[in-house]
Amino acid sequence: MTINQLKKIIIDQKEELEKSLKNENIIEREIDISKIKKYLSSPNILIIKGVRRCGKSTLAVSLLKNKKYGFLNFDDNALAGFKIDDFDILLQAFYELFGSDLEYFIFDEIQNIKGWELFAAKLRRTKKIVITGSNAYLLSRELSTHLTGRYISIMLMPFSFKEYLDYHHIKINKNDIYSSAKIAEINKHLNDYMYKGGLPEVYKFGTEMAMNIYDDILTKDILQRHNIRYKKALKEISNYLISLFGNEFSYNKLVKVFEIKNVHTIKNYIDYISDSYIINVLQRFSYKLKQQHIAPKKVYSIDLGIISELAFQFSPNRGNILENTVYLELMRRIHHKNEKKEIYYWQDAYHREVDFVVKKGVKIIQLIQVAYGLDNYNTKNRETKSLIKGSDSLKCNDLTIITRNDEGEEIKNGKKIKIIPLYKFLLDFS
């Protein structure tokens, strides 16, 4: 590419970005910004990963507020002919446009360019670089070769319920939980959040944007990048897994459902879907790693809005929506607050199940059960019994049931079980 072509693309993108940010309702994300900024206090590479359209570019720009930086989004048809040899010309274009003292760079979806990591590793010696990417496989594959020990990586999730409230300028304080009217208002907003999800563009343009983003991910991040042979099958597998949210699946069962002879093809397809952040795959906990590996997995969608637009066409399930909401919040706290925790689910030979096992280091520190309501005796008995069995097996006595509205405390077999309504859990008021 010529230097003038690149200059035009840089300026066009800069104007588009500035216009977008000017009209954007930008909120402060629930992430330690001051800590992240320290990563850029000297030459370094900061990588912001996450599903498409979750706010990675906005976060990157906010980190460099009042700084002079060069920006380029490689997910642009105008850069279709860009090759590794063009990186030197690109730098020259930036310096001629903004000055040779340019210290910061933001590169969106740079992993689209083969050999990008060589350029980034070289530039990082003297510059501070923010890279955003929406494909975990492509980033991890390239980072593990040339950038080992030379970068910091963070994961950005879609909006939390708190961030949803901030976006809509809704103020909630801790005393509001003592007001019946306020609780009703909070739950009304929570219903909206559980339907729309956490992708900001859905709030601006409507729920159909969730499907547009989903289709973009399938096309750009999976089908095109991996040159998928069975395109229809991959789309059907992705749709099926999202419709299965909160439930178990196994590779062998999927082989039968989709009549794909090779189980490795199924595994690869699921890896591609997971690496694009559409779904999260949760492993069953076992002290035996082999058992953990071969046991069925559970699947969750990265966004509640995608579930509303896609999965509800198949099987609406309030309990599973609640469970997916809790899962996303647990993962968000791990990624955004840098909590050194891992999440699993647990099941014994009698199919008694605990939805979420929270592990820190070698210790199980919390067991969480999710149930829409506990009014029904059989439901309450099943959920508490499974929680107690899990407690005995995993040697953990921090037991919680998260429900839509129920609250209180249950003593069973001498063990205390906290019952917390979803809104208190999401607002961290529990």
Side-chain angles (χ1 to χ4, degrees):
M1 299 188 76
T2 68
I3 191 167
N4 286 333
Q5 285 177 314
L6 288 172
K7 282 182 178 180
K8 184 179 185 307
I9 295 168
I10 290 168
I11 294 301
D12 284 347
Q13 287 192 4
K14 182 175 184 289
E15 290 174 350
E16 183 182 349
L17 178 67
E18 289 174 350
K19 183 180 178 181
S20 172
L21 293 177
K22 185 177 180 181
N23 298 323
E24 190 75 47
N25 177 13
I26 298 175
I27 65 164
E28 186 175 335
R29 300 301 301 268
E30 284 188 295
I31 195 164
D32 193 342
I33 298 294
S34 61
K35 184 176 181 179
I36 296 173
K37 284 184 175 179
K38 289 180 182 178
Y39 299 150
L40 298 173
S41 60
S42 58
N44 200 3
I45 297 175
L46 170 66
I47 295 178
I48 305 175
K49 303 180 294 184
V51 70
R52 277 183 181 267
R53 315 309 299 167
C54 72
K56 299 186 298 296
S57 299
T58 303
L59 176 62
V61 171
S62 69
L63 291 173
L64 302 184
K65 189 176 181 180
N66 301 322
K67 305 284 187 183
K68 186 168 68 171
Y69 59 85
F71 171 87
L72 194 65
N73 180 4
F74 287 89
D75 192 16
D76 186 332
N77 290 334
L79 291 166
F82 193 99
K83 296 181 175 59
I84 187 170
D85 293 339
D86 294 319
F87 276 118
D88 288 335
I89 305 172
L90 175 64
L91 274 184
Q92 185 181 344
F94 275 126
Y95 293 147
E96 289 185 11
L97 285 170
F98 306 119
S100 58
D101 61 340
L102 197 61
E103 188 178 0
Y104 297 91
F105 293 89
I106 298 174
F107 297 124
D108 275 358
E109 306 295 346
I110 194 174
Q111 76 275 5
N112 288 351
I113 310 302
K114 187 176 181 180
W116 69 271
E117 69 280 6
L118 298 172
F119 162 75
K122 181 180 177 181
L123 188 62
R124 174 233 177 239
R125 296 171 192 165
T126 57
K127 305 297 180 181
K128 300 157 187 177
I129 308 165
V130 181
I131 292 172
T132 73
S134 56
N135 192 291
Y137 170 74
L138 291 173
L139 284 171
S140 63
R141 182 186 64 183
E142 290 148 347
L143 296 176
S144 64
T145 54
H146 295 89
L147 295 180
T148 304
R150 300 177 182 176
Y151 69 95
I152 298 293
S153 176
I154 63 171
M155 173 81 171
L156 188 67
M157 301 279 287
F159 279 6
S160 67
F161 181 47
K162 285 183 183 179
E163 290 168 337
Y164 162 91
L165 294 173
D166 286 344
Y167 183 92
H168 291 92
H169 309 293
I170 299 162
K171 302 298 180 185
I172 304 292
N173 64 63
K174 211 161 187 178
N175 289 337
D176 289 339
I177 65 174
Y178 302 107
S179 164
S180 298
K182 280 290 186 180
I183 292 173
E185 181 186 343
I186 292 169
N187 277 318
K188 181 181 177 182
H189 294 306
L190 181 51
N191 285 336
D192 190 55
Y193 170 72
M194 292 170 73
Y195 174 69
K196 292 180 178 177
L199 297 173
E201 289 186 2
V202 170
Y203 307 153
K204 294 190 291 183
F205 303 117
T207 54
E208 63 273 12
M209 281 302 300
M211 279 305 295
N212 290 346
I213 294 168
Y214 174 69
D215 289 339
D216 270 356
I217 294 168
L218 285 180
T219 302
K220 295 180 180 180
D221 294 331
I222 304 175
L223 297 178
Q224 292 177 0
R225 286 179 175 173
H226 296 288
N227 194 24
I228 299 300
R229 181 178 178 185
Y230 302 108
K231 292 180 172 59
K232 183 180 178 183
L234 185 137
K235 288 182 178 180
E236 289 175 348
I237 291 168
S238 181
N239 291 349
Y240 178 80
L241 289 172
I242 291 176
S243 72
L244 204 64
F245 67 100
N247 289 294
E248 287 183 324
F249 73 91
S250 70
Y251 298 119
N252 289 329
K253 182 180 178 182
L254 292 179
V255 166
K256 295 176 183 177
V257 170
F258 294 99
E259 299 180 347
I260 294 177
K261 295 179 181 179
N262 193 335
V263 71
H264 295 292
T265 300
I266 288 284
K267 288 181 178 179
N268 287 338
Y269 282 6
I270 293 175
D271 284 344
Y272 297 154
I273 297 166
S274 178
D275 285 338
S276 68
Y277 305 110
I278 295 176
I279 61 168
N280 282 190
V281 175
L282 190 65
Q283 290 190 320
R284 182 189 293 181
F285 181 81
S286 173
Y287 289 108
K288 299 177 180 178
L289 291 181
K290 183 179 179 180
Q291 284 297 115
Q292 189 167 289
H293 180 71
I294 65 176
K297 323 295 181 189
K298 289 181 75 172
V299 62
Y300 296 95
S301 171
I302 191 62
D303 183 67
L304 301 168
I306 293 175
I307 291 175
S308 298
E309 288 297 300
L310 181 66
F312 268 9
Q313 298 173 16
F314 299 93
S315 175
N317 188 316
R318 297 183 306 173
N320 283 24
I321 284 286
L322 197 75
E323 188 176 323
N324 207 120
T325 306
V326 171
Y327 173 78
L328 289 176
E329 182 61 23
L330 289 171
M331 294 307 296
R332 189 177 290 109
R333 291 175 184 181
I334 287 174
H335 291 304
H336 290 193
K337 297 182 180 181
N338 199 28
E339 295 181 347
K340 305 298 183 184
K341 297 176 183 176
E342 300 171 46
I343 307 294
Y344 301 87
Y345 80 101
W346 174 85
Q347 191 179 105
D348 68 6
Y350 299 97
H351 299 286
R352 290 174 294 214
E353 184 176 307
V354 173
D355 294 318
F356 301 116
V357 174
V358 183
K359 180 173 173 281
K360 187 173 184 180
V362 297
K363 190 176 181 182
I364 306 300
I365 61 170
Q366 188 179 24
L367 303 182
I368 298 174
Q369 200 75 307
V370 181
Y372 194 86
L374 298 176
D375 291 340
N376 182 283
Y377 171 79
N378 290 332
T379 300
K380 187 174 184 179
N381 186 56
R382 181 184 68 245
E383 302 294 349
T384 55
K385 189 175 181 180
S386 294
L387 203 52
I388 295 301
K389 289 295 180 182
S391 172
D392 292 339
S393 176
L394 301 174
K395 312 301 181 196
C396 176
N397 291 322
D398 188 342
L399 312 177
T400 300
I401 300 178
I402 298 173
T403 71
R404 187 62 184 86
N405 293 300
D406 296 324
E407 184 173 9
E409 188 177 289
E410 185 82 11
I411 304 296
K412 194 173 183 72
N413 291 17
K415 298 186 178 185
K416 182 173 73 172
I417 301 172
K418 294 173 287 186
I419 301 170
I420 301 171
L422 180 63
Y423 77 90
K424 278 193 175 182
F425 170 72
L426 296 178
L427 294 174
D428 210 12
F429 287 169
S430 53

